[in-house]
Amino acid sequence: MRFRVLGPVRMDPRTPTAAKPRVVLATLLVQSNSVISTHSLIDELWGVAPPRTAATTLQVYVSQLRKALLAEGGADPEPGRQPLLTQPPGYVMRAGPDDLDLTVFESLRSRGRAAFEERDYATASRLLAESLALWSGPALSGIPHGPSLQTTAIRLEELRSEVLEQRIAADLKLGRHQELIGELMALAHEFPMRETLHELLMVALYRSGRQSDAVRAFHRVRRTLVDELGVEPDASLKRVLSRVLASDPALAWHPGRRPPQPRAAPSRAAPAGAADGTVRGDGAGAASDTVARVPSSAQAGASATAAAGAGKPPGPAAAPVGPLLWLPPALTDFTGRDAELARYTTLFAQSRDGTRPCVVAVSGRPGVGKTALAVQLAHHAEEFTGRVLVSLRDSAGRALTERAALTALLRRLLRPGDGPDPLPGEPDELADLLHRAARGRDLLIVLDDVVSEAQVRLLLSAVADACVVLTSCRPLGALEQARHLVLDVLDRPAAESLLLATGGPRMAQDPAAVAEIARLCGRLPLALRVAAGALAVRPHWTPADLARRLGDERTRLAALSLGDLDVRGGLLAAYQEVPEAERQAFRTLGLAPLPDFPLWVAGSLLDLAPEAAEERLEELVRAQLLEARRPADRGGEVRYGYHPLLRSLALETVTEVDGPAAVAEAVARLGRACLLRARAADARLAPGRDRLASVLVPDLGDLPVHDPAVAAPLRWLQAESAGLLGVLRGLHAGGHWDLVCALASALGGYYEACALWDDWEASHEQALDAARRSGNAVAEAALLRSVGDLSWQRRHTGRAVDCHRHAARLFALAGDGIGAARCLTGEADVLLGQGEPERAGALYRQALARARSAGDARGCADARRGLALLALVEGRPADCLAELDACAAAAAALGDVRWHGYARRTADHVRAHRRTGPAAWSRLEIRPGVWLMNPPAAPAGRA
């Protein structure tokens, strides 16, 4: 294998010794066979502050790599031999399927997962074990990581863990539980909060006759989760415990049972199921070989339809009628929707063999390609002797009445001279005439742009022997016997293919810009066609120019207009069809944070009770103006969001229609709702931490105990973190200075606990600006102290000391002795890490004295923590233990589970290693989750 990234980055015949060329190598390898732009490589090498000679230096690194890739001596490469090529706008590394360990790993992983899904567990275990054997250490190790490599390394390590868990699950299926216990115990110790591993360990122990050990394993992981994070194990782990306690026979291993046989591969006509082999849920993936087989809903529906049509008497014969085709021309560059075309073309063909003709209702937001798909389906269904399309709107966009819809279809079906003239005026008479005109004819009818079920119900009864395709924005759920197809946007490859097919040869010259244009258009087919057409008719534009013009969310819709193709017009028509209450909600909800939002956000923006807000949201979902989803990683809570272009329309109209004052008021309501919940979560995770909670925007009210921010604060913050930062930025843009400061301060503890340094810095930069603009010295002091902690953790010690000292002065001027004392502890932490224990000790003791006098339990706990670390560094373990006990007592008085667990955990570690000397302290946890590497050694004679 020529290239390796699953461990130290290496290549044959030799690997460069300098770090920077290896960074370039790694960046190219993790995206092998793809062009990596020069700008991306420079960002990876130097971040946001590249040297002036960055481009030239990068060329030198590439030259070094090219020489190293060839035989020693750097002779000129033979044609096609050099894998590192220049290709605008950057470079590409060519690597064959077996040249790169990452590619081989992905292939083995995919095959192993497929074998697991097919219940071929022996093959799955072998393939997954082979994939894990490719690893020689942490991914991409031995080089500094920029943003791209850091993200990739995290992703690969997570994939490695998933593969390991699935290999163990396969081995459990094969009855290897006793062999796995030692490995699982080691893994559970190494990853104490990875619940899947503990679940597998419990199953292995139970199957080995160690039921009590399985129960103890559960309680160990539960204690860890509660002490470290303040959360209970998830429902899956609790279900396995219940089965162990109940001695569930289905969980046990039965030696006489035949190994599960691989399932037969599904037929080509069968819908593909998920191939995800990850082990979660209730442990059944590791505990049971029984597979329940039930017919899918699609199969059941097809059977019911066939049964209903069986034995139906044939309709009366009609006079022979010649072929009828009244359709728009088919699109030669129609892209995507292959599965839908195949499925419904087959369905239409089957409906002609005596079963009941079918009605297909295609729904989706404007511009998603409903009409294009319906027309394409009709052109594919060549077996029908009559294929017609009727639009159920007039030329002004108004919906046709029931009578007008019947008349329009009749005029398509009647030959010249047939039928009465004029046509009857009553809908029932028109329906009877339509029934006679359609009877006995082999028809496929497309009813385009249906407004409601009532508009077409009588019409459908009149053409009961025909196959019908309806298109509508709203799902026509009340239509009996209809098969529903809700169209979503194109997937990424199809969206990019559509741009390439319709944008002319220039579009293919910049793949990166094509991907960006597809993203900015939200992969909406109409928007993609308009964007591609705009480029095709402007020869002086490049794809990058077009992407730049689409980049501004507030002007994007204006750029997506070409002749009579107007994306904004289509979206606006759907918006204008809903009542004013829903239109107002659509506009205001555009102010919600990205990418999606829960019900309480909508309630605060709309100033409605939860029940009323939910009703409003569901109306917008039915009108295809909002999306609703229930992501599994958000606790199953329904969340709402916009298609990007619909959000552009909302932002474009909210200020124009509702005015700046209404916008500012809605943003402030949202800010207060976010602050209420962020403070509640922070108070559960770190009681007494936030100095601004009682002095800035107080009296926001209380939340019920079942609110997620109270019941599961850490999970709530993880789910809402990105949105909260977006709200903070919106508050800053609107000049809500107090809310900005208060929200940033409330989020600081979460950012520290989860090491979200970038979000921590971004939020506090804006909040410091807000504090200074408003002249709020206390807010500035609290935020500076938090920035000091951030700078200390990033090892910017000079800035950290400056921030703590400046914050202490501001606190003192404002008469806040508690805040000033906490700044002394922060400065002391910096000094201790710099190897100045005497100065640090003086500050810790001073901070403790002030905290005691002010009755600040958190300040006491923090200062005690510092004094304990000082005693440990100075070789006084007994004093260290005494201070840790005092820290634990103060944390318990606060109700701070995390700090109490930290103090007890550190004390246990000190007791276990008090006689081992400095070697035991190469890594020192100096705050919960914050570690100091290679702390100052104890002075001679003090250990």
Side-chain angles (χ1 to χ4, degrees), residues 341-362:
L341 280 172
R343 177 184 176 189
Y344 288 101
T345 300
T346 302
L347 185 65
F348 290 150
Q350 293 172 346
S351 72
R352 303 176 70 248
D353 62 6
T355 62
R356 181 178 175 81
C358 62
V359 176
V360 176
V362 183

Side-chain angles (χ1 to χ4, degrees), residues 705-763:
V705 293
H706 58 77
D707 190 280
V710 178
L714 183 60
R715 288 183 182 174
W716 181 85
L717 284 165
Q718 289 169 337
E720 306 297 344
S721 175
L724 291 170
L725 185 56
V727 170
L728 187 144
R729 290 182 172 125
L731 291 168
H732 186 275
H736 302 282
W737 308 130
D738 285 355
L739 285 171
V740 173
C741 297
L743 184 56
S745 182
L747 293 173
Y750 167 69
Y751 291 148
E752 178 178 5
C754 296
L756 299 175
W757 291 350
D758 292 341
D759 289 353
W760 192 352
E761 182 169 20
S763 64

Side-chain angles (χ1 to χ4, degrees), residues 369-394:
K370 304 181 293 294
T371 302
L373 175 63
V375 170
Q376 208 73 7
L377 275 171
H379 279 285
H380 275 63
E382 296 178 346
E383 62 273 15
F384 289 92
T385 57
R387 291 170 286 165
V388 300
L389 179 144
V390 176
S391 175
L392 297 194
R393 291 183 185 271
D394 62 19

Side-chain angles (χ1 to χ4, degrees), residues 640-652:
Y640 301 88
Y642 285 90
H643 182 274
L645 297 179
L646 281 166
R647 186 170 189 270
S648 295
L649 179 64
L651 292 175
E652 183 181 300

Side-chain angles (χ1 to χ4, degrees), residues 29 40 209 246 267 571 634 809 836 919:
L29 286 176
S40 297
S267 67
L571 301 179
R634 304 290 183 89
R809 287 194 294 271
E836 299 187 48

Side-chain angles (χ1 to χ4, degrees), residues 3 32-33 93-101 103-104:
F3 303 109
S32 60
N33 301 310
M93 178 72 80
R94 294 185 307 185
D98 299 324
D99 288 343
L100 176 62
D101 59 358
T103 307
V104 178

